[in-house]
């Protein structure tokens, strides 16, 4: 069902359009004014923005402070919200809520440690190692949601040697995903073998064979293949690795390990080639 939703989707009162109820969706569309004019199916749409902040949540917009990046983009440094006394579920217990922008994850960690920041929420805000370090802080609590998204990297089947399914199986079984997670991602994720999380609707199915780490199976597959995949040129970085990680809300991370694997690929090729010769002998 979630795959059928139009995102992002917002509800806005007609009174908040640029010219109220009389706003023309072509000459004064509610799209961001910074987008200027957009060509849509041969027609030019002019973005006029909106005249009021949209939303009916527990907090109401109060103020914002901005700055300009070196690229000339305006960004919000701090946005302040106050409790919405007219919220349908009742006024929140928090009177003032500030959303603050930090330059990097290290600044976020420092703010947490010195007490100037109360809550970090969302994916990729802190590095995996930072989460691991903060687990031992008695004044801080870290909560992980259930897995809501799997991150995968796909094999390019349109180019040799990955157009050979046996080679692809060999690569997948030769990669120790758990070891990568433990070493590089703070052990806050888990290996997965499917595109969608196990808890997603209609996805609670154990699929076989399992595409997990099995170096012996990789060796046998490489022996069965017509040839070992040739070494890649150091200038060819098109190799991608089939890697699946189950990630919770606090740690949805796009893991780029193609270059990590490229650096290790020659070692695997040598090991597999030696094993193949040993089996043939």
């Amino acid at each position: 069902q979630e795959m059928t939703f139009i995102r992002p989707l917002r509800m806005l009162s007609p009174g908040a359009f640029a010219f109220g109820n009389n706003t023309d969706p072509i000459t004064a569309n509610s799209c961001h004014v910074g987008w200027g004019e957009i060509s849509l199916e041969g027609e030019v749409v002019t973005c006029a923005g909106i005249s009021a902040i949209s939303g009916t949540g527990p907090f109401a917009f109060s103020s914002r402070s901005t700055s300009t990046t070196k690229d000339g983009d305006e960004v919000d440094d701090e946005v302040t919200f106050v409790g919405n006394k007219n919220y349908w579920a009742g006024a929140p217990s928090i009177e003032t809520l500030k959303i603050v922008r930090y330059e990097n994850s290290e600044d976020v960690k420092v703010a947490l440690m010195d007490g100037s920041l109360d809550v970090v929420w969302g994916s990729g805000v802190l590095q995996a190692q930072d989460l691991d370090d903060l687990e031992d802080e008695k004044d801080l609590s870290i909560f992980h949601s259930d897995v809501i998204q799997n991150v995968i990297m796909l094999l390019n089947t349109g180019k040799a040697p990955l157009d050979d399914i046996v080679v692809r199986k060999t690569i997948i079984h030769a990669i120790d995903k758990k070891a990568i997670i433990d070493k590089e991602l703070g052990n806050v994720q888990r290996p997965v073998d499917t595109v969608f999380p196990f808890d997603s609707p209609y996805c609670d199915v154990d699929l076989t064979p399992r595409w997990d780490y099995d170096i012996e199976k990789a060796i046998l597959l490489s022996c069965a293949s017509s040839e070992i995949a040739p070494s890649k040129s150091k200038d060819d970085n098109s190799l991608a690795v089939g890697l699946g990680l189950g990630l919770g809300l606090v740690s949805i991370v796009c893991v780029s390990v193609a270059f990590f694997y490229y650096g290790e690929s020659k070692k695997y090729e040598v090991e597999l080639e030696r094993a193949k010769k040993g089996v043939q002998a």
Side-chain angles (χ1 to χ4, degrees), residues 32-198:
H32 193 282
V33 65
W35 295 356
E37 295 183 342
I38 302 174
S39 295
L40 182 64
E41 297 181 352
E43 193 165 18
V44 177
V45 175
T46 302
C47 296
I50 58 179
S51 60
I53 299 295
S54 60
T56 58
F59 296 96
F61 172 78
S62 175
S63 64
R64 63 191 287 234
S65 61
T66 63
S67 63
T68 303
T69 66
K70 61 181 180 180
D71 297 325
D73 298 325
E74 184 181 61
V75 295
D76 290 327
D77 288 327
E78 183 175 296
V79 181
T80 302
F81 298 85
V82 295
N84 182 4
K85 298 179 180 179
N86 298 318
Y87 181 48
W88 62 270
S93 58
I94 299 175
E95 296 181 357
T96 303
L97 176 66
K98 293 183 178 181
I99 311 298
V100 181
R101 183 181 72 89
Y102 292 89
E103 289 293 337
N104 50 55
S105 60
E106 182 61 30
D107 290 346
V108 175
K109 182 179 178 181
V110 170
L112 273 175
M113 298 293 290
D114 65 22
S116 59
L117 180 63
D118 297 311
V119 177
V120 173
W121 182 280
S123 61
V125 181
L126 289 167
Q127 298 294 325
Q129 188 58 53
D130 292 337
L131 292 173
D132 192 47
D133 294 341
L134 294 173
E135 288 279 6
D136 298 328
E137 292 294 325
K138 62 180 182 179
D139 295 329
L140 297 174
S141 298
I142 297 178
F143 302 94
H144 299 276
S145 73
D146 294 331
V147 174
I148 62 173
Q149 176 179 327
N150 288 350
V151 173
I152 62 175
M153 296 193 72
L154 305 178
L155 297 172
N156 180 8
T157 61
K159 187 175 182 180
L162 298 178
D163 55 350
D164 185 341
I165 188 171
V166 178
V167 173
R168 298 199 297 271
K169 290 180 178 180
T170 302
I171 293 173
I172 292 173
H173 285 304
I175 298 173
D176 190 346
K177 293 181 285 189
K178 188 176 187 308
I180 296 174
I181 291 171
D182 291 345
K183 181 178 179 180
E184 306 294 339
L185 303 177
N187 197 26
V188 295
Q189 290 85 27
R190 62 181 178 83
V192 295
D193 305 309
T194 57
V195 174
F196 296 104
F198 194 79

